């Protein structure tokens, strides 16, 4: 039995991520012929083509797409093993890449990261803030914060805590337009839609005793970020649905009023999501444990 060609598998994973043999040679500090020979060697051992090649680019074949998750796992496990060998309990160093939602990142994550950097001075943190859902493996993230009802996937997830969201409107708006008491009444109101939802044009709501209803709201304003909705909601321009970390202060001050308290889109939680491999560098585990402790 021949040993697996782990180097070729790792180079294959890098080539799929970067889309270029030249980029792989630069990132891994190896020659372009070494990259090409590793891919050819792997293709010959597997008896299949992994990439379609042209003079300008490479693209995964059908077999390459099917085998890529195995290559990614091998590459991640190898990196974790190397990092575990280098790390010690008292000297954690290197980079951790973290993806997080924009509004939550600015309001809640930023001070936690500042404290983490003080406690772990040898760890460099790369935080990317976006409400778009990133692909952890393809984009090279070690962990992502997701505030949602998670869908089934191969990613590993750690639930940190539950979170609340509210249907909200300004008292002035409700005085002018009336206060909805049933979800279907939202179809007659000016509504603010969050475009990163799977179906922003249709609100699928859950109510008391397991009741469900789908409502097509009348869109007055749409955005991929919740914070930008807040001033217009406070100004009485419509009804929105926002998580408490964005709208709770406005509710507490009376600038906004919570309505339809028994209805919501679903149970949402603050989750830490990681690539599927159970092996992670110690520096990544340090950040995960820190976020779990101070965001919980």
């Amino acid at each position: 039995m021949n040993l697996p060609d782990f180097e070729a598998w790792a180079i294959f994973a890098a080539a799929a991520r970067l889309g270029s043999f030249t980029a792989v040679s630069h990132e891994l500090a190896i020659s372009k012929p070494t990259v090409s020979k590793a891919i050819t060697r792997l293709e010959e051992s597997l008896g299949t083509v992994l990439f379609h090649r042209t003079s300008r680019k490479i693209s995964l074949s059908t077999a390459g797409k099917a085998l890529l998750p195995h290559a990614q796992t091998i590459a991640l496990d190898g990196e974790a093993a190397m990092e575990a060998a280098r790390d010690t309990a008292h000297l954690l160093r290197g980079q951790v890449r973290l993806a997080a939602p924009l509004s939550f990142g600015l309001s809640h994550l930023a001070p936690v990261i500042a404290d983490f950097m003080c406690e772990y001075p040898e760890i460099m943190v790369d935080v990317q803030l976006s409400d778009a859902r990133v692909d952890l493996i393809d984009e090279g993230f070690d962990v992502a914060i997701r505030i949602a009802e998670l869908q089934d996937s191969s990613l590993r997830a750690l639930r940190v805590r539950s979170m609340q969201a509210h249907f909200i409107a300004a008292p002035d708006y409700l005085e002018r337009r009336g206060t909805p008491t049933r979800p279907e009444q939202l179809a007659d109101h000016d509504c603010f839609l969050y475009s990163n939802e799977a179906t922003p044009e249709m609100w699928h709501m859950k109510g008391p005793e397991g009741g469900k209803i789908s409502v097509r709201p009348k869109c007055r304003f749409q955005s991929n970020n919740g914070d930008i909705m807040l001033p217009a909601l406070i100004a009485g321009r419509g009804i929105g649905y926002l998580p408490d970390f964005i709208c709770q202060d406005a509710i507490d001050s009376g600038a906004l009023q919570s309505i339809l308290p028994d209805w919501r889109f679903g149970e949402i939680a603050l989750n830490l999501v990681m690539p599927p491999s159970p092996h992670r560098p110690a520096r990544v585990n340090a950040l995960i444990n820190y976020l779990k402790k101070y965001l919980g």
Side-chain angles (χ1 to χ4, degrees):
M1 176 181 177
N2 294 327
L3 288 173
D5 192 341
F6 293 116
E7 179 187 49
W9 280 103
I11 290 174
F12 166 45
R17 174 168 54 84
L18 297 171
S20 161
F21 287 0
T22 301
V24 174
S25 70
H26 290 159
E27 180 171 289
L28 300 183
I30 56 179
S31 68
K32 186 176 177 181
T34 298
V35 175
S36 181
K37 289 177 182 178
I39 299 300
T40 300
R41 191 168 67 243
L42 188 58
E43 288 177 329
E44 290 176 350
S45 67
L46 295 172
T48 189
V49 173
L50 298 174
F51 290 105
H52 299 303
R53 301 168 175 83
T54 68
S55 59
R56 291 189 174 185
K57 66 177 183 178
I58 60 173
S59 60
L60 284 169
S61 68
T62 300
K65 291 177 181 178
L67 292 169
L68 180 58
H70 300 288
Q72 291 168 331
T73 298
I74 289 170
L76 288 171
D77 284 349
E79 180 185 356
M82 294 294 292
E83 291 295 337
R86 286 197 292 261
D87 288 333
T88 69
H90 302 291
L91 186 60
L92 301 176
R93 64 178 62 193
Q95 176 179 273
V96 180
R97 299 198 73 222
L98 169 66
L102 176 60
S103 296
F104 184 83
L106 294 175
S107 62
H108 288 68
L109 176 63
V112 175
I113 291 298
D115 292 341
F116 176 82
M117 292 171 64
C118 290
E119 188 161 336
Y120 296 93
E122 298 293 330
I123 296 178
M124 196 281 277
V125 184
D126 177 358
V127 179
Q128 298 295 315
L129 299 180
S130 172
D131 286 350
R133 179 164 295 194
V134 300
D135 187 311
L136 270 69
I137 296 175
D138 283 352
E139 298 181 45
F141 285 102
D142 298 297
V143 60
I145 294 175
R146 288 190 178 160
I147 301 172
E149 186 175 23
L150 293 183
Q151 305 298 317
D152 291 337
S153 76
S154 61
L155 299 175
R156 302 175 72 86
L158 174 64
R159 182 186 176 98
V160 177
R161 64 180 174 92
S162 61
M163 303 191 78
Q164 299 296 320
H166 307 272
F167 288 99
I168 48 174
D172 174 67
Y173 175 88
L174 298 175
E175 184 178 343
R176 286 186 289 108
R177 300 288 300 275
T179 301
T181 57
R182 294 288 303 165
E184 56 267 27
Q185 294 172 339
L186 293 172
D188 299 322
H189 282 267
D190 295 333
C191 295
F192 287 30
L193 310 187
Y194 181 60
S195 59
N196 278 332
E197 293 284 351
T199 56
E201 73 285 351
M202 183 68 71
W203 284 357
H204 303 289
M205 302 165 63
K206 298 180 181 179
E209 300 178 359
K212 296 182 179 180
I213 188 172
S214 295
V215 177
R216 186 177 295 277
K218 183 173 69 173
C219 178
R220 179 72 194 282
F221 181 72
Q222 179 169 306
S223 177
N224 63 353
N225 178 261
D227 266 320
I228 199 172
M229 301 179 186
L230 205 58
L233 288 170
I234 292 173
R237 299 297 178 254
I239 294 174
Y241 184 79
L242 292 176
D244 54 9
F245 64 84
I246 294 178
C247 67
Q248 191 62 55
D249 287 346
I251 293 174
D252 293 342
S253 70
L256 291 174
Q257 181 177 327
S258 179
I259 61 175
L260 299 171
D262 295 327
W263 292 89
R264 59 185 59 85
F265 284 177
E267 299 298 329
I268 63 172
L270 173 63
N271 304 278
L272 300 177
V273 181
M274 296 142 279
S277 172
H279 306 295
R280 293 183 294 272
R283 65 179 184 275
V284 176
N285 283 328
L287 179 60
I288 290 170
N289 292 333
Y290 203 87
L291 295 176
K292 181 182 177 183
K293 179 178 180 180
Y294 290 101
L295 294 179

